[in-house]
């Protein structure tokens, strides 16, 4: 049963041909948001897609630094997805990292060690998922959100970047997808936004949520800009395509529409 | 909900078969209500901010389990008004309070907390706060076209609902200090953060405070309040340690999430770098900022009605959305802080005086923090 395709799915290249794939494997998706408009709803949408992919068709590793499990559970339930059931079926591996601290704030080794431990946890979870005989689908790793990981690492960008590079290596070696939520306005106000430039370079798809230039409104909550690198048209030529449209977030879903086409 | 009921009927008309049911299902809680805590949607619970208008604006009050941040203005201490009312409300409702401040003697601040107004006569006079003369007008409009009911605006609460509202949020008289006897037998911890070399001590205090909360009487967990004034103030020993501070805010947020408390943190944004200021703002669940109004600004006097009574401006940047992905969009985000009768704090939506088209361009030059094309002094 194919869900009706919406503008976001089409822009991500997911809507064509009725493909039920949550995300084409091996992609890195970066979701950028700001204080005025939160991009968490994009994560929820992708999470739901990844979990609705059908029996044995992939799993999700969710690194939750921003909110507790109950928060996501309640939201996804309204979207029609039961996270508790998925977690007990081992389709969802939920890492509650709300209070994550890398021990030894002063010594660099311990921060690195903390990241190494985190990465091996992720690797173990992936291998456990893959070992089941029927599982061949894509595993999606989601990070909510990266700026909190940086705070936990006390600002050592190098460790965070190393960790990210390791996770990205998983996308090619172990057929995973990586979805990262990041607060763009934190980095754009820096003099040298190193982390942001790295991320934007590494990402295959960049989804950015911004408020409208006219401010907030009850009918239109903001605008989405999607930059999808490496989409191929029929002839195999790569096309970079930028999509831009407006959205309105509701409890049971999100409406996407082109500016002015909302009744 | 109000719009579903016939607004023509009031409880004073006992002859009518329709009467407003005081215990509407959405308000009654299955468990005995804890004083000072109001249930909300999605299993959330609210405590009052101490300012009735602010509770209404935020859709009920401060959510338990959330962090409220107030961005201070370098010129005027209006954030203290918010802090004082917040703390007084907690004391009035006997909710444990933890107060941290960069002053040498934080307990002295308790002497400036306002006392609630007790008489009901005052309360009825205060009633037309947001809808001036609404009750009188509604009497007069009985024959005339009653357009109000079609707008779906919040009805003026009926008198006994007002009683419930009074319990949840007290009306504070800022001229009268809170009686000393309220402080006795009341759990109030005051901490000075001025001499702290790092935030480990404060973090310990918060952690023990929050874990003590859950050990209170078996049935109902009392709601707790944490008030931190000027967390990154320059006189604090740790104010240069950017990462430590933001790490503290993050861990406090994590602790609060799993507890029955609310934290109000005020901080001067001018002290932080823009990047860290944004980090703090992202960590907040509810984000407010206060701004002073210059005393004799002729431009603003022309722009706003009632300018002389205004003490400052309050801007609501973000409203807590826990357990939901839908953002809270307010009709208005900038409010004026006013002292009504010099004693109680009210927030009012701004009423702009009609502006000539010719003088409109003069506002384009005054800078606004939001960077919008309007550039009006009201954007911040």
């Amino acid at each position: 049963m194919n869900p009706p395709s919406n503008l976001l799915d089409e822009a991500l290249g997911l809507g064509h041909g009725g493909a039920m794939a949550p995300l084409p494997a091996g992609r890195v998706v970066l979701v950028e948001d700001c204080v005025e408009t939160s991009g968490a709803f994009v994560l929820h949408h992708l999470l739901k897609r990844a979990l609705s992919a059908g029996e044995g068709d992939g799993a999700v590793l969710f690194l939750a630094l921003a909110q507790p499990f109950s928060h996501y559970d309640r939201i996804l339930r309204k979207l029609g997805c039961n996270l508790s059931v998925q977690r007990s079926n081992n389709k969802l591996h939920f890492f509650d990292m709300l209070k994550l601290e890398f021990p030894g704030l002063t010594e660099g080794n311990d921060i690195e060690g903390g990241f190494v431990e985190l990465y091996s946890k992720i690797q173990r979870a992936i291998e456990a998922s893959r070992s089941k005989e029927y599982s061949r689908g894509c595993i999606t790793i989601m990070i909510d959100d990266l700026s909190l990981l940086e705070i936990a690492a006390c600002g050592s960008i190098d460790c965070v970047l190393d960790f990210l590079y390791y996770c990205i290596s998983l996308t090619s070696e172990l057929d995973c997808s990586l979805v990262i939520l990041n607060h763009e306005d934190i980095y754009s106000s820096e003099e040298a936004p190193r982390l942001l430039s790295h991320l934007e370079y590494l990402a295959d798809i960049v989804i950015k949520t911004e408020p409208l230039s006219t401010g907030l409104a009850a009918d239109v909550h903001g605008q989405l800009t999607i930059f999808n690198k490496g989409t191929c048209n029929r002839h195999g030529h790569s096309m970079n395509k930028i999509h831009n449209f407006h959205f309105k977030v509701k409890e049971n879903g999100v409406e996407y529409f082109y500016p002015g086409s909302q009744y | 909900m109000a719009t579903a009921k016939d607004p023509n009927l009031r409880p004073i008309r006992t002859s009518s078969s329709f009467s407003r049911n005081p215990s509407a299902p959405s308000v009654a809680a299955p468990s005995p209500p804890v004083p000072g805590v109001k249930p909300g949607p999605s299993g959330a619970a609210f405590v009052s901010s101490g300012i009735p208008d602010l509770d209404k604006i935020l859709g009920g009050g401060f959510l338990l389990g959330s962090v409220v941040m107030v961005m201070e203005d370098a010129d005027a201490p209006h954030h203290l008004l918010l802090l004082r009312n917040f703390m007084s409300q907690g004391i009035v409702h006997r909710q444990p309070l933890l107060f941290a401040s960069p002053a040498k003697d934080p307990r002295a601040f308790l002497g400036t907390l306002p006392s609630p107004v007790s008489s009901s006569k005052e309360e009825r006079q205060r009633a037309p706060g947001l809808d001036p003369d609404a009750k009188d007008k509604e009497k007069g409009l009985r024959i005339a076209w009653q357009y109000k009911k079609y707008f779906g605006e919040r009805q003026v609460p009926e008198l006994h609902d007002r009683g419930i509202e009074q319990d949840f949020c007290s009306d504070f008289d800022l001229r009268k200090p809170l009686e000393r006897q309220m402080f006795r037998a009341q759990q109030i911890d005051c901490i000075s953060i001025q001499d702290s070399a790092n935030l480990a001590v404060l973090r310990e205090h918060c952690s023990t405070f929050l874990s003590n909360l859950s050990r209170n009487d078996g049935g109902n967990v009392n709601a707790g309040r944490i008030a931190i004034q000027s967390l990154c103030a320059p006189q604090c020993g740790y104010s240069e340690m950017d990462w430590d501070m933001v790490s503290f805010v993050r861990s406090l947020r994590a602790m609060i999430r799993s507890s029955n408390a609310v934290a109000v943190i005020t901080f001067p944004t001018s002290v932080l770098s823009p990047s860290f200021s944004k980090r703090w703002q992202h960590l907040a669940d509810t984000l407010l900022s206060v701004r002073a109004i210059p005393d004799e600004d002729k431009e603003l006097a022309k722009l706003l009605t009632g300018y002389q009574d205004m003490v400052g401006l309050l801007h609501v940047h973000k409203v807590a959305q826990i357990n939901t992905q839908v953002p809270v969009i307010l009709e208005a985000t900038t409010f004026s802080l006013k002292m009504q009768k010099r004693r109680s704090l009210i927030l009012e939506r701004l009423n702009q005086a009609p502006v000539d088209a010719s003088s409109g361009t003069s506002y384009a030059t005054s800078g606004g923090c939001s960077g919008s094309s309007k550039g009006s002094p009201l954007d911040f």
Side-chain angles (χ1 to χ4, degrees):
Chain A
M1 191 176 76
N2 294 333
S5 159
N6 56 34
L7 285 178
L8 176 61
D9 291 333
E10 280 177 24
L12 295 174
L14 303 174
H16 306 296
M20 274 300 290
L23 277 174
R27 303 287 229 126
V28 178
V29 180
L30 176 66
V31 183
E32 292 180 335
D33 69 355
C34 52
V35 175
E36 296 85 13
T37 38
S38 162
F41 69 90
V42 180
L43 270 193
H44 304 149
H45 174 90
L46 292 173
L47 178 60
K48 181 186 168 194
R49 272 201 78 108
L51 290 173
S52 320
E55 197 56 49
D57 232 11
V60 176
L61 263 69
F62 200 93
L63 276 69
L65 292 116
Q67 307 282 4
F69 179 76
S70 52
H71 172 93
Y72 299 106
D73 192 22
R74 276 209 136 107
I75 294 179
L76 271 278
R77 209 179 293 172
K78 291 179 215 165
L79 294 176
C81 182
N82 191 331
L83 285 189
S84 319
V85 167
Q86 302 281 14
R87 185 160 65 162
S88 46
N89 287 346
N90 281 332
K91 274 205 83 180
L92 168 68
H93 299 261
F94 191 86
F95 292 81
D96 191 333
M97 296 168 37
L98 205 60
K99 303 190 180 170
L100 173 79
E101 304 254 347
F102 292 121
L105 300 173
T106 46
E107 299 166 38
N109 280 340
D110 285 323
I111 298 182
E112 268 176 46
F115 272 111
V116 165
E117 203 190 300
L118 178 61
Y119 178 72
S120 36
K121 256 197 265 184
I122 295 176
Q123 228 183 352
R124 274 197 301 268
I126 296 179
E127 275 153 20
S129 244
R130 288 256 178 253
S131 61
K132 301 197 190 85
E133 63 253 19
Y134 51 83
S135 113
R136 50 190 162 73
C138 169
I139 296 187
T140 312
I141 306 171
M142 299 187 134
I143 304 181
D144 179 13
D145 61 71
L146 196 65
S147 63
L148 291 174
L149 198 57
E150 206 192 339
I151 295 177
C154 293
S156 75
I157 296 189
D158 294 322
C159 288
V160 175
L161 276 176
D162 285 344
F163 173 72
L164 274 183
Y165 274 109
Y166 270 90
C167 289
I168 290 174
S169 71
L170 289 172
T171 61
S172 44
E173 286 176 26
L174 287 180
D175 226 17
C176 301
S177 297
L178 185 61
V179 181
I180 306 168
L181 175 63
N182 195 25
H183 300 308
E184 184 253 348
D185 51 358
I186 294 177
Y187 300 97
S188 53
S189 32
E190 274 175 6
E191 285 168 356
R194 218 175 116 213
L195 190 60
L196 192 63
S197 342
H198 272 261
L199 280 174
E200 286 184 349
Y201 174 73
L202 293 167
D204 297 309
I205 304 174
V206 179
I207 305 174
K208 191 163 160 173
T209 60
E210 287 168 301
L212 300 175
S213 53
T214 44
L216 296 175
D219 294 326
V220 182
H221 291 160
Q223 53 177 324
L224 268 181
T225 311
I226 300 175
F227 184 46
N228 196 342
K229 306 179 207 171
T231 48
C232 291
N233 65 8
R234 286 191 309 276
H235 304 287
H237 299 291
S238 93
M239 303 169 11
N240 291 348
K241 196 135 190 256
I242 299 186
H243 303 255
N244 176 276
F245 43 85
H246 292 181
F247 64 87
K248 178 179 172 177
V249 185
K250 298 186 303 201
E251 292 282 3
N252 59 356
V254 184
E255 280 177 18
Y256 307 98
F257 45 90
Y258 286 115
S261 62
Q262 184 77 317
Y263 46 79
Chain B
M1 292 204 247
T3 48
K5 295 190 172 56
D6 191 337
N8 284 323
L9 299 164
R10 308 182 196 295
I12 47 174
R13 278 204 212 163
T14 50
S15 55
S16 161
S17 59
F18 294 105
S19 59
R20 186 184 276 264
N21 186 1
S23 56
S26 58
V27 174
S31 57
V34 184
V37 178
K38 187 167 75 171
S42 299
F46 292 109
V47 290
S48 170
S49 61
I51 305 169
D53 290 336
L54 186 59
D55 285 348
K56 286 199 188 80
I57 292 166
L58 295 178
F62 289 155
L63 262 179
L64 282 178
S66 75
V67 172
V68 179
M69 293 214 206
V70 183
M71 300 198 280
E72 299 173 17
D73 179 59
D75 298 329
H78 296 315
H79 57 281
L80 295 179
L81 292 171
L82 300 178
L83 263 185
R84 283 192 194 114
N85 281 45
F86 173 70
M87 288 165 63
S88 281
Q89 186 68 77
I91 293 174
V92 163
H93 282 151
R94 309 230 165 280
Q95 292 162 342
L97 174 67
L98 177 72
F99 174 56
S101 122
K104 274 277 185 209
D105 182 22
R107 277 212 96 94
F109 187 70
L110 297 180
T112 63
L113 296 183
S115 175
V117 169
S118 43
S119 78
S120 56
K121 213 190 313 175
E122 304 252 28
E123 168 253 308
R124 249 178 272 133
Q125 279 175 1
R126 158 82 180 96
L130 274 182
D131 296 321
D133 303 322
K135 280 217 179 295
D136 296 337
K137 268 196 189 141
E138 282 184 345
K139 281 198 195 124
L141 283 176
R142 218 169 269 176
I143 310 169
W145 179 250
Q146 296 199 339
Y147 52 85
K148 247 195 161 110
K149 62 186 178 187
Y150 296 108
F151 284 0
E153 280 172 357
R154 217 174 283 113
Q155 303 285 326
V156 175
E158 306 299 344
L159 279 174
H160 56 236
D161 268 3
R162 172 87 60 187
I164 299 173
E165 289 292 316
Q166 275 296 91
D167 288 338
F168 178 66
C169 180
S170 316
D171 202 9
F172 287 102
D173 182 346
L174 283 138
R175 295 172 306 183
K176 242 177 66 178
L178 201 53
E179 290 147 29
R180 293 260 151 209
Q181 66 216 37
M182 300 283 273
F183 297 147
R184 283 181 231 134
Q186 170 74 6
Q187 186 188 343
I188 306 177
D189 295 328
C190 291
I191 306 164
S192 170
I193 48 181
Q194 191 184 94
D195 295 325
S196 311
N198 59 35
L199 283 156
V201 172
L202 183 58
R203 189 189 295 214
E204 256 316 298
H205 271 277
C206 293
S207 175
T208 28
F209 176 79
L210 290 172
S211 46
N212 283 341
L213 273 185
S214 43
R215 272 186 241 128
N216 281 345
D217 51 4
N220 296 315
V221 183
N222 209 353
R225 296 180 184 230
I226 296 183
I228 304 182
Q229 180 197 336
S230 303
L231 182 56
C232 58
Q235 62 260 45
C236 300
Y238 53 79
S239 64
E240 299 289 316
M241 298 154 73
D242 285 327
W243 285 107
D244 277 13
M245 290 196 288
V246 76
S247 180
F248 167 76
V249 178
R250 176 184 165 242
S251 60
L252 178 64
R253 180 176 174 269
M255 289 192 277
I256 294 260
R257 266 288 183 282
S258 50
S259 75
N260 213 31
V262 68
V264 173
I265 306 176
T266 75
F267 65 104
T269 45
S270 46
V271 174
L272 296 169
S273 69
S275 160
F276 275 96
S277 176
K278 281 287 175 192
R279 284 189 198 272
W280 287 53
Q281 291 174 40
H282 271 286
L283 283 169
D285 296 307
T286 302
L287 184 63
L288 310 169
S289 61
V290 287
R291 197 172 100 153
I293 287 193
D295 266 337
E296 292 288 324
D297 191 329
K298 295 205 173 51
E299 302 268 309
L300 274 183
K302 267 194 289 184
L303 186 61
L304 302 167
T305 56
Y307 165 77
Q308 289 80 4
D309 305 324
M310 291 186 195
V311 171
L313 294 172
L314 175 89
H315 189 94
V316 181
H317 295 264
K318 237 198 314 188
V319 180
Q321 29 166 145
I322 298 187
N323 293 338
T324 173
Q325 65 174 6
V326 181
V328 178
I329 307 285
L330 303 172
E331 271 181 22
T333 52
T334 308
F335 300 88
S336 60
L337 287 160
K338 282 191 184 177
M339 305 285 281
Q340 195 184 47
K341 294 191 187 111
R342 294 171 173 264
R343 62 169 181 84
S344 44
L345 192 63
I346 60 170
L347 295 168
E348 269 188 8
R349 284 170 67 157
L350 298 175
N351 287 319
Q352 279 186 258
V355 176
D356 292 336
S358 54
S359 61
T361 48
S362 64
Y363 298 121
T365 49
S366 50
C369 296
S370 72
S372 77
S373 52
K374 262 180 19 192
S376 128
L378 300 173
D379 291 333
F380 64 103

